[in-house]
Amino acid sequence: MTAPPVPGAGVRRSWIDAAGLAGRSRGVRALTACVVALAVLVAVGGTLLPVARPDDRPLSVMAGLGLAALLVTAGQLARLRFRLGRGVVSVSWGEAAFIIGYVVAPPGWLPLATLTGAAVAWALLSWLDEHRNVAEVAHLAASLALGTAGAATVARLIGGDGAVLGVRTQIALVAGALTYLLITFGLAALTLALHRDAAAEQIFARIPYAKVPMFVGNVLVGLGAVAVLVRKPIWLLAFGPALWLLQRTYRMHLRAEEERRMWEAFAAATAALPGRTEADVAEAGLRGALDVFGARRVEIEVRVAGGERRYAEDGPGHDISLGGRTGPAITRSMAVAGEVVGELTVWLAEPTLPAPRDEAAISAYGDALAAALHDAAAHDQLTELRRRADHDGVHDQVTGLRNRGSLLTDGDRLMRELERDSHVALLLLDVRGFREVNGTLGHRGGDDVLRLIAERLSELSRGSELVARVGDDEFALLVPGLTALADSSTPLHETPPPLPSAVRRARELAEHVGLPMEVAGVRLAVEIAVGVVVGRAGRIELTELVRRAALALDQAKRQELAVATYDTSQDAVTIDELALLAELQDALAAHDQIVLHLQPAVDLVTAAPTGVEALVRWQHPRRGQLSPNDFIRTVEHTELLTPFTHRVLDLALSAAASWAAVGVEVPVSVNVSARSLLDPAFPGQVADALRRHRAPASSLVLEITESVAVSDEAIVDDVLAELRDSGVQLSLDDFGTGYSSLSIVTRAPVDEIKIDRSFVDDMIDSSAAEAVVRGAVELGARLGVRVVAEGVETTEQRAALIELGCPNAQGYHFCKPMPADRIVQALTQLTEAAPDNIRPLRADDAS
């Protein structure tokens, strides 16, 4: 962000930049100004003091001043440095220079000599490698001058004009050196604190640690040099090697301490790097780099998919807006197992070339930071995957709605929070014909339809209602706290039932969801079926509500209703259907549950038997006697068809044998499943049954429906032909109710036509029904096949059929279906009562 311009800022910026104060805080600027001004004042004031030279001083005034300034310069050039936070502290031979200078030069002139010598030394150092600006050089020289001024004052007050080698003067020199140390230490600590290069506790812990040993050496060297200078100056030549060894010892001491500090900080910083997120790691990495390397600025660039993210932090007290000076930048690429994670850039505090150890440490730190960033990225990915898994575990991935499991969990919790007697409704919605939508628009288009339906349901949901997708094309809406609707028919003292309110809501949903929508450029509308169930929150579980709503929905789809409600009678039906297959298997194994009821067909005029139809019944051990409508669909659509047909043929042929044994020669008719006529093995199954019972083929009539007889399947023609060739007779059942024309009797030749009972029922009152019956009778006569009218129940119907010339009939008017143990007696009675004009089922000349 760019700061707004301030009037006069350009002029002020120019002299600030020229003085080298840019990038330094206001406190540091103020301190620099005060220190420099005070140092100049002290230096000038000191020259005004009288120059008194005791006789034991070894040099003249001018020579002493020159030597003092030269010692200050040499002491500063030989300084040792160590890093403190983001700053650098120098340890020099200043105390030794003061002690010698105090002896060889007038004390009042020492501040000026120190100021001059220090300025020359730091200017030279800045020109050579440190590139310090004017303000910094002036601040350093002024600080040393103030330290010298304080030290000279203390030494003068204590030592007076005593002898140079006297005890009093020696104590004064030590006290002055200590004063010099305290003043320079205090100014350095204040500068670091104002510039926020290091914490106060760090300053007061590490500066004394580095300066105290050097101070002791300074004092010893200074006092020794003074003694040699006064007594035997030639021995000063021996100080060179000693000072060199002492300098090396101090340097190694500081370097070892600096290495220890840096690696301790490195260990602490890298230990703090691991974090849960990339931002946490980057923040810790910035703080650690600033602390470990005493950097002015650190930047971390993290490579991410599609770009990069950049993190940066400046060291305390560094005013970037003022264009402050920083040291060189070291950039290192961060990688893990060859995969680049990002880059680390560190701006060092000092404007000098970085030391190899700094580069090595930054590289090592970058490796640790790269590993932490890589781990954080992996953690972020795992967190995202876990979040997705948690979300997908309770939400539908296509619509974003709750899934079935989430509906059950959240719904149960919601129901437990309601009052025990409050009503809850569950509406289960199904999209009719959704398979056709998928087939036409593709699965992507189908998903779009589901999403639109989900949006509409969500828009219609209220408050705490829960919407979920519970199946491929099924949705659910849980309505807690259902409000019942009262109408004019509800008595005032009664609470209106809640079901009408739920039904009304279901109709609203079906109407709104069924509005036209546009998907993949196609404008379409879907039909919705809704199953509705209502229960009390404290008396039923949600899983039971779902089961009941599914039963209601099945009823709505089966009856093609928009809305259907749950009925308790559906429970038994559903349970029975679920158990039906297993119970049928048990029935076929039991040999006494699948039975036949037999109904004779008779001559309309004489009432003599002309055939018997076998009607299968199931003596269910729990549900009682069941008609074929209750179980035949399950038989036809499972592998039970073959053993079931085997059982029925055995029972029918066994019954036929029983009445043939008493001289009643009429065939037995058995209804054939449509699937049996699609089975090439079916004729062989029939032939095997006839062989087992030693029965002639003519004793068996297989009844087929008209719709099966006109099937386009070629196999049906083959099976029918093979059955006819074997001698088995064929009967066309329910004639007139299928899709056929009269060509059926030529395509599938039969021996008998059975007129459907619906025409017999209506023929008295309907001329159309009478015409159908008349046509069937005439057709049978012309083709030479038997014609049997089904469902004759009244004398009027019998008379009408006789008048139309129908030869045979079957129905309650003549005989009801009866068990096999009674059929022989009934047939015998009918035969004995009839005149001798019975015609056989197939005439001798019939084909």
Side-chain angles (χ1 to χ4, degrees):
M1 181 180 292
T2 303
V6 180
V11 176
R12 185 166 65 250
R13 177 62 53 82
S14 63
W15 74 261
I16 288 176
D17 290 341
L21 294 173
R24 301 170 73 86
S25 65
R26 291 183 178 180
V28 174
R29 294 177 192 173
L31 178 63
T32 298
C34 291
V35 169
V36 171
L38 186 57
V40 171
L41 181 62
V42 170
V44 173
T47 61
L48 301 178
L49 296 175
V51 178
R53 292 294 296 166
D55 295 335
D56 58 349
R57 295 301 190 261
L59 299 176
S60 65
V61 173
M62 295 307 296
L65 287 174
L67 180 59
L70 183 61
L71 289 174
V72 171
T73 301
Q76 296 303 313
L77 290 176
R79 88 277 184 261
L80 299 175
R81 301 180 302 168
F82 66 93
R83 184 178 291 155
L84 185 61
R86 276 159 289 280
V88 176
V89 177
S90 295
V91 181
S92 68
W93 294 94
E95 291 86 355
F98 160 74
I99 292 174
I100 299 172
Y102 185 85
V103 172
V104 301
W109 286 73
L110 280 181
L112 179 60
T114 301
L115 183 62
T116 303
V120 171
W122 286 106
L124 183 60
L125 289 172
S126 178
W127 177 69
L128 289 175
D129 65 349
E130 295 192 7
H131 308 291
R132 294 186 180 272
N133 54 46
V134 175
E136 290 179 319
V137 171
H139 185 94
L140 289 168
S143 299
L144 297 177
L146 290 178
T148 301
T153 301
V154 171
R156 182 67 180 174
L157 292 175
I158 296 175
D161 293 328
V164 173
L165 299 180
V167 176
R168 183 178 178 184
T169 302
Q170 298 294 307
I171 293 175
L173 291 175
V174 173
L178 182 59
T179 302
Y180 178 91
L181 172 65
L182 293 176
I183 292 176
T184 55
F185 168 73
L187 290 175
L190 183 59
T191 302
L192 290 170
L194 288 176
H195 207 267
R196 290 181 292 175
D197 280 328
E201 61 272 13
Q202 192 177 14
I203 294 172
F204 288 100
R206 296 201 58 225
I207 291 182
Y209 179 85
K211 285 217 170 195
V212 168
M214 191 73 169
F215 169 76
V216 174
N218 266 275
V219 171
L220 294 177
V221 168
L223 294 177
V226 168
V228 172
L229 186 62
V230 172
R231 292 178 178 176
K232 290 185 178 182
I234 192 63
W235 285 103
L236 289 176
L237 297 177
F239 272 72
L243 290 176
W244 182 81
L245 289 174
L246 191 59
Q247 176 85 354
R248 294 285 296 178
T249 302
Y250 286 155
R251 185 186 298 276
M252 293 180 63
H253 168 74
L254 290 177
R255 180 170 294 176
E257 170 59 19
E258 176 65 12
E259 293 285 344
R260 184 190 64 80
R261 182 212 67 82
M262 190 187 75
W263 289 114
E264 284 182 352
F266 186 94
T270 53
L273 285 179
R276 297 178 62 86
T277 65
E278 176 190 294
D280 292 341
V281 174
E283 183 179 352
L286 292 172
R287 290 196 306 266
L290 289 173
D291 183 44
V292 172
F293 307 111
R296 289 296 184 184
R297 178 176 175 83
V298 179
E299 285 187 3
I300 297 173
E301 179 186 289
V302 182
R303 304 282 176 84
V304 295
E308 59 189 30
R309 277 192 290 268
R310 194 177 297 273
Y311 302 87
E313 186 171 343
D314 296 301
H318 187 62
D319 191 352
I320 296 178
S321 65
L322 294 176
R325 168 195 55 77
T326 62
I330 300 177
T331 300
R332 288 291 180 268
S333 177
M334 299 184 295
V336 175
E339 179 183 354
V340 177
V341 177
E343 286 186 349
L344 170 66
T345 302
V346 178
W347 279 266
L348 298 179
E350 289 190 276
T352 57
L353 293 177
R357 66 186 179 90
D358 290 332
E359 295 183 354
I362 290 174
S363 296
Y365 188 79
D367 292 340
L369 181 58
L373 287 171
H374 186 272
D375 291 345
H379 183 271
D380 288 343
Q381 292 175 354
L382 289 175
T383 301
E384 177 62 19
L385 289 175
R386 189 178 298 110
R387 186 195 65 78
R388 282 187 189 175
D390 293 341
H391 180 273
D392 293 345
V394 296
H395 289 85
D396 173 56
Q397 296 185 16
V398 175
T399 63
L401 298 177
R402 289 177 174 83
N403 58 19
R404 185 183 187 91
S406 176
L407 174 67
L408 295 176
T409 302
D410 295 344
D412 276 335
R413 182 172 59 250
L414 180 61
M415 290 174 62
R416 286 194 296 270
E417 295 172 355
L418 298 174
E419 295 183 3
R420 181 176 178 81
D421 291 331
S422 62
H423 288 96
V424 177
L426 181 66
L427 282 56
L428 202 58
L429 298 85
D430 179 83
V431 184
R432 297 183 190 273
F434 184 71
R435 181 174 299 176
E436 286 73 12
V437 174
N438 270 338
T440 304
L441 302 180
H443 288 285
R444 181 176 298 179
D447 289 347
D448 291 340
V449 171
L450 293 175
R451 278 189 282 270
L452 287 172
I453 293 174
E455 291 175 4
R456 294 181 177 183
L457 289 175
S458 299
E459 291 171 359
L460 293 174
S461 63
R462 309 166 185 169
S464 58
E465 296 176 352
L466 303 182
V467 183
R469 182 187 177 201
V470 296
D472 289 341
D473 56 355
E474 287 187 3
F475 297 84
L477 176 67
L478 180 64
V479 183
L482 184 67
T483 303
L485 297 177
D487 54 28
S488 57
S489 63
T490 304
L492 296 178
H493 62 279
E494 292 184 5
T495 301
L499 186 59
S501 177
V503 171
R504 177 179 298 183
R505 186 72 187 283
R507 295 190 186 281
E508 292 174 356
L509 291 178
E511 181 179 352
H512 185 77
V513 172
L515 292 175
M517 62 182 71
E518 185 168 336
V519 176
V522 179
R523 184 173 171 82
L524 56 89
V526 295
E527 292 185 7
I528 302 297
V530 188
V532 181
V533 63
V534 175
R536 295 186 184 272
R539 302 183 184 181
I540 191 172
E541 293 185 354
L542 183 55
T543 52
E544 178 62 17
L545 284 178
V546 172
R547 186 188 70 82
R548 295 181 179 182
L551 293 176
L553 179 60
D554 288 342
Q555 179 184 354
K557 292 191 292 186
R558 189 168 53 250
Q559 299 179 1
E560 298 185 355
L561 301 173
V563 178
T565 60
Y566 167 74
D567 184 355
T568 54
S569 63
Q570 297 171 350
D571 281 334
V573 173
T574 302
I575 293 173
D576 290 339
E577 290 178 351
L578 188 64
L580 190 60
L581 181 59
E583 291 178 341
L584 274 170
Q585 293 173 341
D586 294 340
L588 291 173
H591 299 288
D592 61 351
Q593 294 188 30
I594 304 300
V595 298
L596 294 182
H597 281 203
L598 302 156
Q599 185 179 34
V602 300
D603 185 288
L604 269 173
V605 177
T606 65
T610 59
V612 178
E613 183 176 6
L615 305 173
V616 67
R617 298 288 187 268
W618 181 6
Q619 295 293 346
H620 196 282
R622 177 173 55 85
R623 299 167 60 188
Q625 181 173 286
L626 301 180
S627 70
N629 291 336
D630 296 322
F631 60 85
I632 200 65
R633 184 171 178 272
T634 301
V635 171
E636 290 182 334
H637 290 82
T638 64
E639 297 301 322
L640 294 179
L641 178 60
T642 298
F644 183 83
T645 303
H646 184 283
R647 173 66 57 83
V648 172
L649 288 174
D650 279 347
L651 292 175
L653 292 174
S654 178
S658 66
W659 63 68
V662 297
V664 179
E665 297 292 340
V666 294
V668 62
S669 300
V670 177
N671 286 278
V672 177
S673 166
R675 276 192 60 200
S676 294
L677 297 180
L678 296 173
D679 183 6
F682 177 62
Q685 183 182 6
V686 174
D688 288 342
L690 292 171
R691 281 194 296 269
R692 284 196 305 272
H693 292 275
R694 302 176 182 275
S698 59
S699 66
L700 178 63
V701 179
L702 298 179
E703 295 188 2
I704 59 175
T705 61
E706 186 176 342
S707 58
V708 173
V710 296
S711 170
D712 290 335
E713 296 286 345
I715 187 64
V716 173
D717 292 338
D718 296 339
V719 170
L720 291 177
E722 188 173 350
L723 288 171
R724 282 188 55 81
D725 292 343
S726 69
V728 174
Q729 302 184 65
L730 300 179
S731 175
L732 187 60
D733 198 13
D734 302 331
F735 182 78
T737 60
Y739 317 101
S740 72
S741 65
L742 297 179
S743 64
I744 181 177
V745 294
T746 60
R747 182 187 171 194
V750 294
D751 300 283
E752 180 181 76
I753 293 176
K754 301 188 80 170
I755 303 172
D756 188 73
R757 67 177 302 152
S758 61
F759 300 111
V760 176
D761 289 340
D762 297 338
M763 62 179 293
I764 303 299
D765 301 319
S766 171
S767 58
E770 181 185 357
V772 171
V773 174
R774 186 189 302 275
V777 171
E778 292 177 356
L779 179 64
R782 290 182 180 276
L783 294 176
V785 300
R786 299 277 300 186
V787 177
V788 179
E790 294 182 298
V792 177
E793 297 183 355
T794 65
T795 303
E796 187 178 11
Q797 291 173 341
R798 179 182 183 184
L801 289 170
I802 292 175
E803 185 177 351
L804 291 175
C806 182
N808 304 290
Q810 178 180 337
Y812 279 18
H813 178 70
F814 304 104
C815 198
K816 294 181 179 180
M818 63 191 68
D821 58 357
R822 293 172 49 194
I823 188 62
V824 173
Q825 181 182 0
L827 290 175
T828 302
Q829 292 176 352
L830 288 173
T831 301
E832 292 175 351
D836 296 332
N837 61 351
I838 301 176
R839 290 190 298 168
L841 180 61
R842 179 188 291 175
D844 294 338
D845 58 345
S847 59

